[in-house]
Amino acid sequence: ALVEQWWPRVMRHGDDAEVLAALRGLPVLITAGPTREALDPVRCLTNHSSGKMGYALAQALTAAGAEVTLIAGPTALPRPALDQFVAVESALDMYAQVLARVAECAIFIAAAAVADYRPASPLPTKFKKHTADLTLHLTRNPDILADVAARIAPPFTVGFAAETVTTVEELADLATAKRLNKRLNMIAANRVGGDSGGFERDDNALLVLWDGGNHHLPLQSKTQLAAALTILIAERYALSTASQTSRPAPRA
Amino acid sequence: ALVEQWWPRVMRHGDDAEVLAALRGLPVLITAGPTREALDPVRCLTNHSSGKMGYALAQALTAAGAEVTLIAGPTALPRPALDQFVAVESALDMYAQVLARVAECAIFIAAAAVADYRPASPLPTKFKKHTADLTLHLTRNPDILADVAARIAPPFTVGFAAETVTTVEELADLATAKRLNKRLNMIAANRVGGDSGGFERDDNALLVLWDGGNHHLPLQSKTQLAAALTILIAERYALSTASQTSRPAPRA
């Protein structure tokens, strides 16, 4: 019922219902939003992710009949109408929640903008400002998406890449390198900076790449983008389960 | 009219209207929310301030008839119904906007949680994660409140202090030191951490201190707290303009 109510409003072409049928009843894990890495009880390192893309994907996949679990960092968005919603703060929190659920999921979509680094030694009390300069030591966070894709029996993995590049060719090169390096099934890339959409905006454009193909989704609302991306995911997922050789090969 | 509509809903005692009359037509500058200090186009250093206290104060003072200008860092709150609303990102942005307006204001309320430090060299493009560890060099931001209070003819200044302390005596000592050090007329202090209210919460408790007095405002909604604090500000402001010696003396 949901699929009939929701999809006609965002999609115009007709034969998507058949494609989307591949998602029905499928357990899907989605991450969304930023993570917050504490320096002390008050200060944090974070990023400008609004969570809108991940939330829109959770809505689109739910409408398509998938069993969605959304693991989200702190956002200003209203709590979504999902049975499985897990709120997290830090990258380590998100990592633990993903690992606890990934074995059961068929598709993993990493839409969260996970902080790459966290303060090496967060302070238990608010530090006092005494000095003109301060040196902050950061340590690398786990790469949640790469670790999921490197599992022995990984789910179908979809990553995102936000890059400050000027041309679509540079974007495609960086995103393809990321896809191959992390062994992802699919990557959705966008340019950040300028007027190219993305973080904290309601619209975005995405270049979606997979092994042997790509598709450009022009600037549109994140709701429409999530619908279009869900159809691409459904198509590629169906093909990957139909073939034993669909997983990208490890790099030589 | 606004004062009659708004105040009865939040205040219970009767003789506040006379006190609040001191604020009528008075230009008041309020800062609210966190600031965001960019590391690169995507990453930032920030804090957990929701902006609720500053927004509630802007509402309370407007309802009391003051001419409020609100300068706010990025929050998830709806844009307030104020003629004078200025959105800023970084501490340097906020500093510039405050300096441009402070000469005309009679009262300055610094409810923003301004980042003390910013990355010394923000990067124009998103940096790539290659190393296990990273050292971030931070440099001190200007102290907006202290600079305003140190002006030759300063407005009546109200600061906030959020401290990770366990007892109210420690809180009073730290807040009094901050008030004297920065030469503020009034400071509103609260404990952070634990279940003591504060950042990202709808309620809070405040210990309000001034030269020769203090008042404890118990845990209540930020709307109620803003109303109670506005009455204290109106009282102390009226007394400060009635006397030439009301400004705290510089420390020996």
Side-chain angles (χ1 to χ4, degrees):
Chain A
L2 245 180
V3 66
E4 286 80 18
Q5 286 164 29
W6 198 79
W7 286 88
R9 284 189 284 128
V10 289
M11 299 304 299
R12 283 189 204 97
H13 38 101
D15 52 4
D16 298 324
E18 212 173 309
V19 175
L20 290 170
L23 300 176
R24 209 163 295 151
L26 220 59
V28 175
L29 194 56
I30 302 176
T31 64
T35 65
R36 270 189 196 157
E37 312 300 319
L39 274 68
D40 67 20
V42 167
R43 299 172 178 90
C44 62
L45 201 62
T46 186
N47 61 64
H48 296 182
S49 169
S50 66
K52 284 174 187 164
M53 193 65 219
Y55 275 58
L57 280 165
Q59 191 185 17
L61 280 126
T62 300
E67 302 283 341
V68 173
T69 300
L70 180 63
I71 301 177
T75 76
L77 301 173
R79 192 187 158 111
L82 287 173
D83 285 342
Q84 303 295 327
F85 178 76
V86 183
V88 296
E89 277 275 321
S90 69
L92 289 178
D93 290 345
M94 186 174 276
Y95 189 58
Q97 295 294 339
V98 167
L99 288 189
R101 289 164 177 82
V102 71
E104 281 76 43
C105 79
I107 299 176
F108 176 65
I109 306 174
V114 181
D116 302 321
Y117 293 91
R118 66 177 182 278
S121 315
L123 298 171
T125 58
K126 190 179 167 187
F127 71 80
K128 291 290 171 188
K129 46 181 178 191
H130 289 305
T131 57
D133 297 301
L134 193 73
T135 302
L136 197 60
H137 296 286
L138 305 177
T139 191
R140 200 54 189 281
N141 273 325
D143 187 328
I144 300 175
L145 177 56
D147 283 5
V148 167
R151 290 173 67 87
I152 291 171
F156 184 89
T157 49
V158 182
F160 281 77
E163 306 289 348
T164 41
V165 291
T166 44
T167 69
V168 76
E169 289 76 19
E170 288 175 288
L171 183 65
D173 288 349
L174 280 173
T176 299
K178 188 171 176 180
R179 186 182 68 76
L180 292 171
N181 191 39
K182 295 196 183 185
R183 303 183 60 190
L184 309 180
N185 294 95
M186 184 179 266
I187 194 159
N190 69 291
R191 296 194 295 132
V192 286
D195 58 352
S196 48
F199 276 12
E200 290 192 290
R201 301 242 331 223
D202 287 328
D203 55 8
N204 202 0
L206 288 177
L207 178 64
V208 187
L209 303 119
W210 57 88
D211 189 14
N214 69 74
H215 192 82
H216 180 254
L217 301 172
L219 191 67
Q220 55 195 299
S221 79
K222 287 184 178 173
T223 303
Q224 291 175 304
L225 213 51
L229 184 56
T230 296
I231 289 169
L232 292 176
I233 292 169
E235 279 175 355
R236 307 315 308 173
Y237 171 76
L239 286 167
S240 80
T241 55
S243 123
Q244 294 295 330
T245 58
S246 66
R247 293 270 312 152
R251 296 184 89 176
Chain B
L2 246 178
V3 64
E4 285 81 19
Q5 284 164 32
W6 198 80
W7 286 89
R9 283 190 285 128
V10 287
M11 299 304 300
R12 283 190 204 97
H13 37 102
D15 51 4
D16 298 324
E18 210 173 313
V19 175
L20 290 170
L23 301 174
R24 211 164 293 153
L26 220 59
V28 175
L29 194 56
I30 302 176
T31 64
T35 66
R36 271 188 195 157
E37 312 300 320
L39 274 68
D40 67 19
V42 168
R43 299 172 178 92
C44 63
L45 199 62
T46 187
N47 61 64
H48 297 181
S49 169
S50 66
K52 283 173 187 162
M53 194 64 219
Y55 275 58
L57 279 166
Q59 191 185 16
L61 279 126
T62 300
E67 303 283 340
V68 174
T69 299
L70 180 62
I71 301 177
T75 75
L77 301 173
R79 191 188 158 111
L82 287 174
D83 286 341
Q84 304 295 326
F85 177 77
V86 183
V88 296
E89 278 274 320
S90 69
L92 290 179
D93 291 344
M94 185 174 277
Y95 189 57
Q97 296 293 340
V98 167
L99 288 190
R101 289 164 178 82
V102 72
E104 281 75 44
C105 79
I107 299 176
F108 177 64
I109 307 174
V114 180
D116 303 321
Y117 293 91
R118 67 176 181 277
S121 317
L123 299 171
T125 57
K126 191 178 166 188
F127 70 81
K128 291 289 173 189
K129 48 181 178 190
H130 289 304
T131 57
D133 298 300
L134 193 72
T135 301
L136 197 60
H137 297 285
L138 305 177
T139 191
R140 200 54 189 278
N141 273 326
D143 187 327
I144 300 176
L145 177 57
D147 283 5
V148 167
R151 289 172 68 86
I152 290 170
F156 184 89
T157 49
V158 182
F160 280 79
E163 307 290 347
T164 41
V165 290
T166 44
T167 69
V168 76
E169 288 76 19
E170 288 175 288
L171 183 64
D173 287 349
L174 280 174
T176 299
K178 188 170 175 180
R179 185 181 69 74
L180 293 171
N181 191 39
K182 296 197 183 185
R183 303 184 59 193
L184 309 179
N185 294 98
M186 185 180 264
I187 194 159
N190 70 290
R191 296 194 296 132
V192 287
D195 57 353
S196 47
F199 277 11
E200 291 192 290
R201 301 246 325 228
D202 288 328
D203 55 8
N204 201 2
L206 288 176
L207 178 64
V208 187
L209 303 119
W210 56 87
D211 188 15
N214 69 74
H215 193 83
H216 181 255
L217 301 171
L219 192 67
Q220 55 196 301
S221 79
K222 286 184 179 172
T223 303
Q224 291 175 304
L225 213 50
L229 184 55
T230 296
I231 288 167
L232 291 177
I233 291 170
E235 279 176 353
R236 305 315 306 170
Y237 171 75
L239 286 169
S240 80
T241 54
S243 122
Q244 293 295 330
T245 57
S246 66
R247 294 269 312 149
R251 296 185 88 176

